[in-house]
């Protein structure tokens, strides 16, 4: 029996991956209140606790039903603001009455954070802050869906700089973040970070091929489909995983599940996902699926996805923070520009897409994804 891994009591990371020595304490006039989705606490690459430990004028709370949390009621009475883009969010310095003394930061995946906001009347009633980042995010291990989406610590660093008129004072907080990203990439790939290989004179295409070849025996390609999102921006976080397919290209092992919807099935879902309505209504429970998924995965697996939407759907259902590679981003890096969808990328690579081995639109997507990955490795 293996001895249990030693875990740092402060950062809650394995001692071998502890980042506490890089923490920098910086005071702020603004009190930051982190409201964290409970699932985010278990994710190895989260940055909320990192930011909290760096900011002495901060506090961290967990919960899902935030309107029942006494601290949320206090913050509403104090006139706090919420950091979250979209809707009626305004620039940090454009709030009526000036910068807030208390700033609420929602922490979780984007799906989880939207759910926290959508389910809290108190938070939705507070003024909301948003901004366009001064530079792209550096979160290479959790690719964000849009340019204005940053990791929690990056967003806090930028918003504090704007609120307190000193953009450079809080930037040292990012040292621990950058170190964590580099460490995670090395552990995920088992090879030097591709960005560093470029500096050594290796072409992007070779760097991508080398990275994928290094994890080939541990790679699991996965594609997920969701119950169609409502058009209401405030309810987009209610998207839920209903179809998941995966294949281990090194061995050909496959995984398929159709999940029973937890919310009403969208009337367009059967048509868009190319499966009959009865398949969803008679689908698996999330608990049963996760039990099979945990048995299918191995401890050192790396997931390969086209974009990060599948990862967001999986993590919203409780999947742990398994390392992953964004094949879409790797393809764009190899070619120097975006190639469109996975089927178009396969055509660019000259790799034939095999016949789908499972039903639905997900069957077509996973077949195209496998063709792209094999093309990248063989190129």
């Amino acid at each position: 029996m293996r001895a249990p891994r030693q875990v740092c009591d402060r950062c809650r990371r394995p001692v071998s991956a502890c980042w506490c020595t890089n923490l920098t304490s910086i005071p702020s006039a603004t009190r930051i209140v982190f409201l964290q989705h409970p699932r985010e606490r278990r994710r190895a690459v989260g940055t909320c606790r990192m930011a909290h430990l760096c900011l002495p004028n901060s506090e961290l709370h967990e919960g899902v039903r935030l309107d029942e949390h006494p601290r949320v009621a206090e913050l509403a009475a104090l006139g706090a603001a919420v950091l979250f883009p979209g809707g009626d969010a305004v620039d940090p310095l454009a709030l009526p009455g000036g910068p807030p003394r208390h700033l609420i930061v929602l922490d979780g995946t984007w799906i989880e954070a939207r759910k926290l906001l959508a389910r809290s009347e108190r938070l939705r009633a507070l003024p909301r802050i948003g901004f366009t980042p001064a530079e792209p995010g550096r979160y290479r291990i959790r690719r964000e869906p849009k340019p204005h989406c940053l990791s929690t610590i990056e967003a806090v660093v930028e918003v504090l700089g704007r609120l307190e008129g000193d953009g450079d004072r809080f930037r040292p907080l990012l040292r621990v973040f950058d170190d964590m990203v580099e460490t995670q990439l090395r552990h995920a790939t088992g090879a030097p970070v591709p960005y560093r290989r470029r500096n050594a004179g290796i072409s992007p295409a070779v760097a991508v091929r080398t990275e994928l070849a290094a994890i080939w025996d541990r790679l699991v390609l996965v594609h997920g489909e969701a119950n169609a999102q409502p058009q209401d921006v405030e309810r987009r976080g209610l998207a839920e995983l209903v179809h998941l397919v995966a294949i281990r290209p090194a061995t050909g092992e496959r995984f398929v599940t159709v999940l029973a919807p937890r919310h009403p099935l969208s009337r367009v879902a059967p048509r868009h996902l190319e499966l009959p309505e009865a398949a969803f209504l008679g689908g698996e429970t999330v608990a049963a699926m996760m039990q099979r998924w945990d048995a299918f995965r191995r401890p050192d697996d790396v997931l390969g996805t086209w974009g990060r939407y599948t990862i967001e759907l999986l993590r919203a259902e409780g999947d742990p923070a398994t390392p992953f590679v964004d094949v879409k981003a790797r393809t764009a890096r190899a070619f120097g520009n975006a190639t469109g969808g996975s089927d178009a990328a396969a055509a660019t690579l000259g790799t034939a897409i095999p016949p789908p081995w499972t039903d639905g639109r997900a069957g077509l997507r996973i077949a195209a994804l496998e063709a792209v990955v094999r093309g990248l490795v063989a190129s």
Side-chain angles (χ1 to χ4, degrees):
M1 180 180 295
R2 292 181 180 180
R5 288 193 303 178
Q6 290 186 307
V7 176
C8 173
D9 291 334
R10 192 179 186 197
C11 68
R12 298 174 182 168
R13 298 284 292 126
V15 171
S16 60
C18 172
W19 33 252
C20 289
T21 56
N22 294 316
L23 290 172
T24 302
S25 180
I26 300 179
S28 63
T30 310
R31 185 161 187 81
I32 303 296
V33 182
F34 297 101
L35 300 180
Q36 185 180 60
H37 194 287
R39 288 174 181 158
E40 188 68 14
R41 182 177 186 267
R42 303 192 295 270
R43 292 179 178 128
V45 295
T47 65
C48 179
R49 185 165 183 81
M50 181 184 292
H52 171 53
L53 292 174
C54 287
L55 295 169
N57 192 19
S58 70
E59 54 191 276
L60 173 58
H61 306 281
E62 293 180 10
V64 174
R65 301 183 181 279
L66 296 179
D67 278 356
E68 299 173 7
H69 199 293
R71 184 54 173 155
V72 173
E74 294 173 0
L75 292 166
L78 291 171
V82 178
L83 177 62
F84 200 85
D88 55 355
V90 300
D91 186 86
L93 299 181
L95 281 177
R101 301 291 296 176
H102 297 79
L103 180 64
I104 296 171
V105 178
L106 300 176
D107 182 66
T109 64
W110 283 96
I111 290 176
E112 290 166 356
R114 289 192 190 102
K115 283 183 178 180
L116 292 178
L117 185 63
R119 292 170 176 170
S120 173
E121 293 183 6
R122 283 197 171 104
L123 293 182
R124 293 200 308 272
L126 295 175
R128 194 187 304 181
I129 287 177
F131 59 85
T132 300
E135 61 184 36
R138 291 135 72 169
Y139 215 6
R140 289 174 282 150
I141 50 177
R142 285 176 79 172
R143 190 168 300 277
E144 305 298 348
K146 295 181 181 179
H148 64 259
C149 300
L150 305 175
S151 67
T152 297
I153 194 168
E154 287 175 297
V156 168
V157 165
E158 183 140 351
V159 76
L160 282 176
R162 297 186 185 210
L163 288 172
E164 303 190 15
D166 190 349
D168 291 332
R169 183 159 67 92
F170 297 96
R171 293 190 67 79
L173 271 64
L174 296 178
R175 293 173 188 163
V176 61
F177 169 71
D178 288 339
D179 182 76
M180 183 268 287
V181 169
E182 293 288 330
T183 300
Q184 195 70 21
L185 281 170
R186 287 195 297 271
H187 287 175
T189 63
V193 180
Y195 290 79
R196 291 182 176 174
R197 288 182 177 270
R198 288 192 198 179
N199 296 335
I202 297 177
S203 73
V206 172
V208 169
R209 182 183 66 189
T210 303
E211 178 188 8
L212 293 176
I215 62 172
W216 184 253
D217 291 339
R218 300 182 287 130
L219 183 63
V220 175
L221 304 179
V222 59
H223 178 79
E225 298 280 10
N227 196 3
Q229 296 185 9
Q231 293 300 310
D232 183 355
V233 173
E234 297 294 346
R235 298 185 69 244
R236 283 184 182 170
L238 298 182
E240 57 186 3
L241 181 68
V242 291
H243 194 188
L244 185 74
V245 296
I247 184 169
R248 193 182 301 276
T251 64
E253 296 168 85
R254 298 167 180 175
F255 179 92
V256 182
T257 183
V258 177
L259 292 168
R262 281 72 73 204
H263 296 95
L265 182 67
S266 167
R267 59 183 178 81
V268 300
R271 175 163 53 89
H272 284 172
L273 305 188
E274 301 176 15
L275 287 175
E277 181 179 357
F280 297 107
L281 299 182
E284 262 189 307
T285 65
V286 173
M289 181 276 286
M290 289 302 298
Q291 186 174 10
R292 290 200 304 115
W293 179 240
D294 287 341
F296 178 79
R297 289 180 310 155
R298 300 170 185 166
D300 60 347
D301 276 347
V302 179
L303 303 184
T305 61
W306 189 259
R308 62 168 294 116
Y309 188 58
T310 294
I311 295 295
E312 294 287 355
L313 290 172
L314 267 171
R315 291 182 178 171
E317 301 300 344
D319 186 67
T322 308
F324 75 97
V325 292
D326 183 343
V327 178
K328 181 179 180 181
R330 298 312 192 271
T331 306
R333 185 189 308 167
F335 285 96
N337 59 274
T339 57
S342 53
D343 52 349
T348 302
L349 284 161
T351 309
I353 300 175
W357 46 265
T358 190
D359 295 332
R361 186 172 71 175
L364 299 171
R365 298 281 173 85
I366 196 71
L369 177 59
E370 183 180 1
V372 171
V373 170
R374 291 187 180 277
L376 288 171
V377 172
S379 64

